[in-house]
Amino acid sequence: MSLARPLSTETQAATTAAVHRDDAVSIERVDVPDPGPGEVIVAIDLATVCGADRKAAQNQQGQARILGHEGVGRVLRAGADASVEPGTRVVWAPTVTCGRCDRCRAGLTAACRKSMSLGEQSIDGPWPLSGTFARHLLLPRGAAIAPVPHDLCDPVAASAGCSAATVISAFDAAGSLRGARVLILGAGLLGLTAAAYANDSDAASIVVVDRDAARRHLARTFGATETVDPHDGLPDADIVVDFTRSGDVTSAALRALTIGGRLILVEQHRSTPAPGHGNADLDTHRVTARWQSVSGVSGAEPHHLSLAIDYLTEARSRWPWEQLVTPAVPLSYLPSLLAGPAPIAPRTAVQPRR
């Protein structure tokens, strides 16, 4: 992966301190690089804040960096052989892959041996402008980039590269949903998107499981036919998609899985364990005797990014997507936003150029 050389122009970015302190995030000026072959410079229109960003800011250790990985923007400059042209509105995947290792060649780029993640690169390293909490972002060669239609608003488009693409990846592993009883564990942004997608895919029923009553209520507005607290027991299901990685809930879902059922365990890019995280109890005799399958999904492949954009564009009028993101604030508000408690909405947002 070639990385660009700095120019004299600068941008503003929210950077973390190299060691944890109360003012761990501050707004700094950073060089804007000249894009090299296959690279693009994106002007960020909107970036969203997920729980992983908040945890990273509050527990910062080690190298200083620019946080953030979800966003939408427009290509400002493009190097030779870049996949998109200046002026194109785009979203991107949260990791950049090499495209050459054995895993990439096998079509498992999400498990690339040399992957680099947005929001995790040292500001003193070869890719300093690597986070979305900035006015500009450099996307190196190997980044998965997808054009975004103009009629898909920024708050909805921003989720495509990470959350929505991961949901598409999970259901790709699950197979056909038509007529299936689908059980979704977790009512965060992924679980809510999954409920809408399952509804649009003609699932017979969509049950969303979450401990939080407000999130269960929100799931109803995104296509859930039923919502339950995990302590109240789980109904039988043909397909279980687990976004929680919570051992006790996963174990209960395994017991609820029907004969021939499929359990999809999902890990989002840089996701963090949910409360109660731990190992699930796997009764191997039950799994084999009932012809069940258990699959793992970590992130998404490049084609899932384009499929996520297509789905969000087609479904934009059926579900209240805008309720999932708070009104955007200027970049200068980000330090206090990251330090404060998480809002009810699954995502908060910043507009770096305000």
Side-chain angles (χ1 to χ4, degrees):
M1 307 172 195
S2 65
L3 291 171
R5 302 173 300 280
L7 289 179
S8 58
T9 53
E10 292 182 323
T11 190
Q12 284 190 329
T15 67
T16 65
V19 295
H20 179 69
R21 62 174 194 252
D22 291 339
D23 57 342
V25 179
S26 59
I27 307 300
E28 308 289 346
R29 301 204 68 83
V30 181
D31 286 332
V32 176
D34 183 16
E39 300 172 351
V40 298
I41 298 294
V42 176
I44 303 291
D45 291 327
L46 183 137
T48 47
V49 181
C50 80
D53 298 317
R54 184 170 284 103
K55 288 180 182 292
Q58 294 175 355
N59 301 289
Q60 171 63 14
Q61 295 179 351
Q63 60 192 15
R65 52 189 166 137
I66 302 171
L67 294 175
H69 56 279
E70 296 178 343
V72 58
R74 298 175 188 276
V75 176
L76 187 63
R77 284 181 280 170
D81 301 322
S83 61
V84 287
E85 298 180 351
T88 308
R89 185 168 178 247
V90 294
V91 295
W92 46 86
T95 56
V96 179
T97 60
C98 74
R100 298 185 299 274
C101 71
D102 56 332
R103 296 175 181 177
C104 286
R105 294 196 305 270
L108 296 173
T109 65
C112 171
R113 293 184 184 276
K114 300 180 180 179
S115 66
M116 299 188 299
S117 297
L118 274 70
E120 296 185 3
Q121 308 306 311
S122 171
I123 203 166
D124 297 319
W127 183 21
L129 199 61
S130 63
T132 56
F133 298 156
R135 291 186 175 181
H136 298 89
L137 168 71
L138 184 145
L139 292 173
R141 181 188 293 275
I145 305 171
V148 181
H150 293 289
D151 53 354
L152 188 63
C153 68
D154 286 345
V156 180
S159 73
C162 191
S163 299
T166 300
V167 169
I168 301 294
S169 176
F171 281 123
D172 193 9
S176 175
L177 303 182
R178 183 181 294 275
R181 296 169 295 174
V182 177
L183 186 63
I184 297 170
L185 309 185
L189 183 57
L190 285 96
L192 296 171
T193 304
Y197 186 88
N199 192 293
D200 290 332
S201 300
D202 298 324
S205 63
I206 304 107
V207 180
V208 175
V209 181
D210 202 283
R211 292 183 172 92
D212 186 273
R215 287 193 170 191
R216 294 198 301 272
H217 176 75
L218 191 57
R220 289 278 189 173
T221 69
F222 278 87
T225 56
E226 183 182 354
T227 60
V228 299
D229 186 305
H231 292 111
D232 296 333
L234 305 183
D236 291 345
D238 304 306
I239 296 172
V240 176
V241 184
D242 181 8
F243 297 110
T244 68
R245 293 190 295 144
S246 179
D248 56 342
V249 180
T250 305
S251 297
L254 272 166
R255 293 190 294 271
L257 201 60
T258 190
I259 293 176
R262 288 158 282 169
L263 168 63
I264 312 299
L265 302 170
V266 184
E267 182 174 286
Q268 187 187 17
H269 164 72
R270 297 195 312 159
S271 61
T272 52
H277 170 67
N279 293 324
D281 295 325
L282 180 62
D283 184 339
T284 56
H285 173 71
R286 181 183 177 89
V287 170
T288 55
R290 295 171 67 84
W291 291 80
Q292 297 167 340
S293 61
V294 179
S295 300
V297 169
S298 181
E301 294 298 315
H303 71 280
H304 293 129
L305 176 59
S306 297
L307 290 174
I309 287 293
D310 292 344
Y311 171 67
L312 291 173
T313 302
E314 189 274 330
R316 67 185 184 277
S317 62
R318 288 197 295 275
W319 311 105
W321 302 106
E322 290 83 355
Q323 292 184 16
L324 303 181
V325 183
T326 62
V329 298
L331 187 65
S332 59
Y333 285 52
L334 188 63
S336 58
L337 192 67
L338 290 171
I344 295 176
R347 292 289 188 272
T348 53
V350 294
Q351 288 180 315
R353 290 189 284 165
R354 280 179 60 182

